[in-house]
């Protein structure tokens, strides 16, 4: 059972993790192996970050040992992996202040929660991700009714007429992903060239050639509801696509750092600079892992974030257990670690 607490209360722990996405969740595990307790803060109303919010039903193919795993499946596995260490979650809250004192750090949220800790890990993706909105007349009135910027569950659109807009990987993936679910799938992109991987482009164009997907080149000029309560779309060349149940624009995401930009950290192109020995920032006791951090050779992969979390935990051990000596142990051979994990 996840320990989700109500806002407005005071707490004390070893480490506060800002961001409850994959890297933040794995950070809990790495800290727990070294006897450090953690609290996580996330501005979403659920655990899982981008994977749970934007890609819950989309397959990820670059997670070690898993040929394919959806964003929600990965989230569920990481939550289960963290459970033995009893993390506490502060959801639907934004970290508003970090006050560094001589012997502790005080973290406060915009909902009145305060947490006293010894180290902080920023695992906030690349800040707050906001989808780029559909720049068509009438679109604002149809958001969350007929226009959606993420797909929570594809089967909710069973036998519906779907319009997908965009030319990147997400757009192409969902064109293929709605096959066999939606009654009709249409794709609109402003040009014939696509940004997605070539294999996906080839597969989608094959579906177009077979007549299983309708492709129109152009941009949306306006959208409106027709007399049947469905959406009528007008393209910039005045072509009309009628009787659409749901529109999914995939124009990418824009990044908003929010309060992170005001915490006195060294920033580089909206990312936090860290060293590669332990992923500590320019401010001692504050670390950054995952997509939010930057260093020479950085790869924005979840597996890279897992590596960063492991090394960051080693350094945080010094701050949280200054009276103890760090000893590296394998979970496969340490009975003590296996006991913590509930292995019998």
């Amino acid at each position: 059972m996840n320990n989700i607490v109500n806002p407005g209360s005071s707490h004390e722990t070893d480490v506060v993790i800002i961001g409850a996405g994959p890297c933040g969740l794995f950070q809990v595990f790495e800290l727990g192996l070294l006897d450090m307790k953690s609290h996580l803060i996330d501005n979403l109303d659920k655990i899982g970050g981008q994977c749970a919010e934007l890609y819950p039903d989309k397959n990820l193919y670059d997670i070690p040992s898993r040929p394919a795993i959806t964003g929600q499946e990965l989230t569920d596995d990481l939550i289960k992996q963290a459970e033995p260490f009893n993390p506490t979650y502060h959801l639907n809250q934004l970290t508003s202040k970090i006050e560094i004192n001589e012997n502790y750090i005080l973290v406060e949220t915009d909902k009145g929660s305060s947490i006293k800790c010894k180290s902080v890990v920023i695992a906030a993706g690349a800040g707050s991700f906001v989808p780029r909105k559909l720049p068509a007349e009438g679109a604002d009135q149809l958001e969350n009714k007929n226009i959606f910027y993420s797909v929570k569950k594809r089967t909710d659109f069973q036998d519906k007429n779907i319009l997908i807009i965009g030319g990147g990987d997400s757009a192409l993936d969902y064109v293929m992903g709605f096959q066999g679910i939606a009654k009709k799938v249409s794709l609109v992109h402003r040009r014939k060239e696509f940004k997605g991987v070539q294999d996906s482009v080839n597969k989608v164009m094959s579906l177009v050639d077979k007549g299983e997907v309708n492709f129109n080149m152009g941009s949306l000029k306006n959208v409106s509801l027709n007399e049947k309560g469905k959406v009528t779309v007008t393209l910039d060349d005045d072509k009309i696509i009628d009787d659409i149940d749901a529109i999914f624009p995939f124009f990418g995401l824009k990044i908003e750092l929010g309060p992170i930009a005001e915490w006195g950290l060294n920033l580089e192109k909206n990312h936090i600079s860290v060293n590669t020995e332990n992923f500590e920032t320019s401010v001692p006791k504050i670390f950054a892992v995952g997509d939010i951090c930057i260093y020479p050779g950085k790869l924005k992969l979840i597996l890279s974030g897992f590596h960063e979390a492991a090394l960051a935990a080693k350094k945080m051990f010094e701050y949280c257990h200054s009276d103890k000596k760090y000893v590296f142990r394998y979970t496969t051979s340490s009975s003590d670690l296996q006991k913590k994990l509930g292995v019998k």
Side-chain angles (χ1 to χ4, degrees):
M1 189 73 176
N2 295 323
N3 184 20
I4 301 173
V5 296
N6 293 324
S9 50
S10 298
H11 306 268
E12 186 169 348
T13 191
D14 291 316
V15 178
V16 167
I17 302 168
I18 301 172
C23 294
L25 291 170
F26 189 67
Q27 187 71 76
V28 173
F29 176 79
E30 289 295 324
L31 291 169
L33 291 178
L34 300 177
D35 289 324
M36 288 178 278
K37 301 295 183 182
S38 55
H39 282 228
L40 299 91
I41 302 171
D42 202 289
N43 65 326
L44 297 177
D45 60 358
K46 61 175 71 68
I47 303 168
Q50 294 178 62
C51 282
E53 177 68 8
L54 299 177
Y55 314 119
D57 206 28
K58 180 179 177 182
N59 276 330
L60 308 175
Y61 300 100
D62 57 357
I63 303 300
S65 84
R66 301 298 294 267
I69 184 172
T70 68
Q72 190 58 57
E73 288 170 342
L74 176 63
T75 297
D76 293 342
D77 284 354
L78 288 166
I79 291 173
K80 185 176 180 180
Q81 187 180 39
E83 278 180 358
F85 305 112
N86 300 312
T88 298
Y89 298 93
H90 304 259
L91 301 180
N92 203 26
Q93 299 184 59
L94 190 68
T95 306
S96 58
K97 182 180 178 181
I98 295 179
E99 179 184 295
I100 301 176
N101 298 284
E102 184 177 354
N103 298 316
Y104 67 92
I105 299 173
L106 184 64
V107 179
E108 298 179 354
T109 76
D110 61 340
K111 299 293 177 61
S113 297
S114 63
I115 312 168
K116 187 177 178 181
C117 63
K118 299 174 183 176
S119 281
V120 172
V121 183
I122 304 170
S128 298
F129 283 84
V130 180
R132 299 183 188 278
K133 298 299 182 70
L134 178 64
E137 184 180 346
D140 291 347
Q141 288 72 34
L142 300 180
E143 284 187 12
N144 300 317
K145 299 174 184 177
N146 302 91
I147 297 176
F148 307 92
Y149 292 97
S150 65
V151 183
K152 301 293 187 293
K153 192 177 180 182
R154 282 176 291 180
T155 53
D156 289 343
F157 301 92
Q158 183 87 36
D159 298 325
K160 303 293 185 181
N161 290 339
I162 304 297
L163 174 63
I164 295 173
I165 310 168
D169 287 320
S170 293
L172 297 173
D173 285 346
Y174 279 114
V175 167
M176 294 183 285
F178 274 119
Q179 295 302 300
I181 297 175
K183 178 181 179 181
K184 180 180 178 182
V185 178
S186 299
L187 172 65
V188 171
H189 184 46
R190 63 183 183 273
R191 56 177 181 263
K192 292 182 178 178
E193 294 75 26
F194 292 85
K195 294 181 180 178
V197 297
Q198 192 58 47
D199 182 61
S200 296
V201 175
N202 294 341
K203 289 177 179 177
V204 168
M205 288 299 102
S206 177
L207 293 172
V208 172
D209 293 339
K210 294 175 183 177
E212 297 177 21
V213 171
N214 296 322
F215 173 62
N216 292 279
M217 191 167 62
S219 301
L220 271 65
K221 184 163 62 176
N222 59 60
V223 296
S224 61
L225 287 178
N226 61 25
E227 65 279 1
K228 294 181 286 185
K230 297 193 175 186
V231 180
T232 296
V233 169
T234 304
L235 302 182
D236 51 5
D237 62 358
D238 293 327
K239 182 174 182 177
I240 292 176
I241 305 174
D242 208 2
D243 290 338
I244 298 295
D245 293 298
I247 299 175
F248 296 96
F250 291 108
F251 300 143
L253 303 168
K254 58 182 179 179
I255 300 168
E256 295 181 356
L257 280 182
I260 293 176
E262 303 169 3
W263 293 342
L265 307 172
N266 284 345
L267 299 178
E268 182 180 338
K269 297 179 180 179
N270 282 338
H271 293 76
I272 301 172
S273 295
V274 294
N275 69 60
T276 53
E277 180 182 359
N278 50 44
F279 301 95
E280 196 166 16
T281 70
S282 57
V283 178
K285 301 181 182 180
I286 297 183
F287 300 76
V289 300
D291 285 356
I292 193 72
C293 75
I294 192 169
Y295 52 84
K298 167 74 177 183
L299 285 177
K300 288 190 175 184
L301 296 172
I302 294 175
L303 64 89
S304 299
F306 291 166
H307 156 78
E308 294 156 8
L311 290 181
K314 177 177 179 292
K315 180 63 177 179
M316 280 182 276
F317 180 86
E318 297 178 15
Y319 294 130
C320 296
H321 297 302
S322 57
D323 58 332
K324 298 179 181 179
K325 181 180 179 180
Y326 171 83
V327 179
F328 176 76
R329 292 172 294 174
Y330 294 105
T331 55
T332 51
S333 58
S334 171
S335 59
D336 182 46
L337 292 181
Q338 291 174 7
K339 184 178 180 180
K340 292 179 184 178
L341 297 173
V343 177
K344 297 181 180 179

